[in-house]
């Protein structure tokens, strides 16, 4: 449990085991790209080398889209964190999660009235930003895994109930179909990337319902055109949460020791509520 890996998963659905999450053997303790079927890992981008790989992916994908270059947030903390999908020591996908609080959300810049109206309703908001995947190596499974782990932290662990995402207007249909997001803010200028953006939102309760119905069943993707068949099953989700809680317990044990007695092992950034 000393690995910084949150999850390890197969890029191919293993029909014999009926799941995507890899728990036996413990490949989370093996080097990225170990021999065998293609698999990837989801890690927190909280180390310099890993952050560099993620920023390189973001730079490449945003430049390809004609967007202004963006950087990862410098305040990686319990209020904001970045996940990286890793294969063969390379970042093949990334997503950043931010929680509403004193520093507000990125969406407040272009959509202040819409976001404030949700706060007035008592909604606990979070947003997913800086989403990018390498189209040459990543798959819907990688995108679904990134989204699912982000959702687990945001909703299942932290208790936030609504997700916000800003997307380019030409991508709205994709997010509506793949994740059930709905437009709540018309086209504005996103000053961070200097490009038009539309504000989308979805209740996490809907995400939970869809994961419960379709998660872990990629064979249903032919008829269900969303991303949810490529997500983890609820059983796998429970296993992921159990690992996070175990890592949290280990972190707390280490912090309780005198500094001279702590083991020199990296643990992922604290994703649990403070």
């Amino acid at each position: 449990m000393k690995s910084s890996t949150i999850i390890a998963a197969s890029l191919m659905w293993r029909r014999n085991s009926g799941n995507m999450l890899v728990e036996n053997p413990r490949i989370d303790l093996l080097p990225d790209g170990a021999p065998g079927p293609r698999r990837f890992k989801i890690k927190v981008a909280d180390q310099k080398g890993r952050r560099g790989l993620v920023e390189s992916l973001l730079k490449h994908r945003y430049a390809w889209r004609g967007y202004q270059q963006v950087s990862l947030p410098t305040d990686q903390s319990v209020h904001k964190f970045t996940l990286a999908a890793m294969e063969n020591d390379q970042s093949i996908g990334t997503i950043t999660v931010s929680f509403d609080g004193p520093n507000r959300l990125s969406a407040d810049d272009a959509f202040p009235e819409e976001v404030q109206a949700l706060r007035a309703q008592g909604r606990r908001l979070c947003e997913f930003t800086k989403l990018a995947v390498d189209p040459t190596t990543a798959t819907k499974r990688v995108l679904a895994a990134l989204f699912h782990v982000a959702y687990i932290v945001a909703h299942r662990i932290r208790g936030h109930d609504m997700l916000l995402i800003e997307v380019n207007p030409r991508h709205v249909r994709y997010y509506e179909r793949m994740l059930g997001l709905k437009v709540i803010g018309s086209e504005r200028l996103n000053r961070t990337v200097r490009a038009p953006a539309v504000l989308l939102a979805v209740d996490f309760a809907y995400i939970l319902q869809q994961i419960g119905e379709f998660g872990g069943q990629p064979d249903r993707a032919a008829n269900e055109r969303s991303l949810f068949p490529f997500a983890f099953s609820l059983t796998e989700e429970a296993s992921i949460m159990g690992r996070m809680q175990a890592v949290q317990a280990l972190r707390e044990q280490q912090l309780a020791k005198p500094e001279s007695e702590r083991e020199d092992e990296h643990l992922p950034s604290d994703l649990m509520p403070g």
Side-chain angles (χ1 to χ4, degrees):
M1 200 56 66
K2 296 175 182 178
S3 167
S4 64
T5 300
I6 297 175
I7 63 119
S10 172
L11 277 167
M12 300 296 292
W13 185 52
R14 301 181 302 164
R15 186 173 297 276
N16 289 339
S17 63
N19 59 40
M20 168 185 170
L21 193 65
V22 177
E23 297 181 291
N24 184 27
R26 288 282 302 281
I27 72 164
D28 56 306
L29 301 181
L30 298 178
D32 292 336
R38 282 190 67 193
R39 56 251 189 152
F40 64 98
K41 303 174 184 177
I42 303 292
K43 302 185 178 187
V44 183
D46 57 355
Q47 294 177 294
K48 184 177 180 180
R50 195 175 301 148
R51 287 171 62 83
L53 292 172
V54 169
E55 291 199 316
S56 178
L57 174 64
L58 284 170
K59 179 179 179 180
H60 174 74
R61 296 306 299 159
Y62 275 53
W64 181 83
R65 294 170 180 162
Y67 296 163
Q68 183 168 294
Q69 185 175 340
V70 297
S71 298
L72 293 182
T74 57
D75 59 333
Q76 299 275 314
S77 66
V78 295
H79 302 295
K80 186 177 294 188
F81 66 90
T82 297
L83 297 173
M86 306 294 298
E87 183 188 20
N88 296 323
D89 294 319
Q90 293 296 319
S91 176
I92 60 173
T94 183
I95 192 171
T96 292
V97 182
S98 300
F99 300 102
D100 200 12
N103 294 330
R104 301 291 180 168
L105 299 171
S106 297
D108 277 294
D109 184 68
F111 303 93
E113 294 181 359
E114 290 86 349
V115 177
Q116 190 54 42
L118 293 172
R119 291 191 184 104
Q121 297 171 17
R123 306 308 299 266
R124 296 197 66 203
L125 307 174
C126 75
E127 62 183 355
F128 293 175
T129 64
K130 299 179 177 64
L131 173 63
V133 294
D134 182 345
T136 64
T137 58
T139 65
K140 285 183 179 179
R141 196 177 304 280
V142 173
L143 178 59
L146 281 167
F147 182 87
H148 200 152
V149 173
Y151 151 83
I152 288 171
V153 178
H155 180 58
R156 303 287 273 174
I157 293 177
R158 297 284 194 92
H160 289 259
D161 59 24
M162 176 168 277
L163 169 65
L164 303 179
I165 299 180
E166 290 180 74
V167 305
N168 190 288
R170 64 176 180 268
H171 298 153
V172 168
R173 290 285 295 163
Y174 176 86
Y175 284 93
E176 288 178 333
R177 183 178 73 254
M178 287 293 171
L179 294 168
L181 288 146
K182 304 295 183 184
V183 175
I184 64 166
S186 58
E187 183 175 327
R188 318 277 169 82
L189 176 67
N190 182 304
R191 295 189 296 178
T192 300
V193 297
R194 303 299 302 173
V198 173
L199 184 63
L200 306 180
V202 65
D203 284 325
F204 277 132
Y206 171 81
I207 301 298
L208 174 59
Q209 177 189 28
Q210 295 301 297
I211 289 173
E213 183 171 354
F214 298 107
Q217 303 174 74
D219 51 335
R220 296 184 64 182
N223 297 317
E224 171 54 39
R225 299 295 300 277
S226 73
L227 203 62
F228 296 111
F230 300 99
F232 300 109
S233 67
L234 289 180
T235 300
E236 292 173 306
E237 180 180 289
S239 179
I240 295 169
M241 291 176 64
R243 174 174 171 78
M244 288 182 174
Q245 291 161 351
V247 170
Q248 176 74 3
L250 181 58
R251 177 185 293 105
E252 292 174 354
Q253 290 173 13
Q254 288 197 20
L255 292 177
K257 298 178 182 178
E259 188 169 350
S260 60
E261 298 179 13
R262 295 176 189 172
E263 297 180 29
D264 186 20
E265 295 282 354
H266 177 74
L267 294 171
S269 293
D270 190 354
L271 301 182
M272 311 298 257

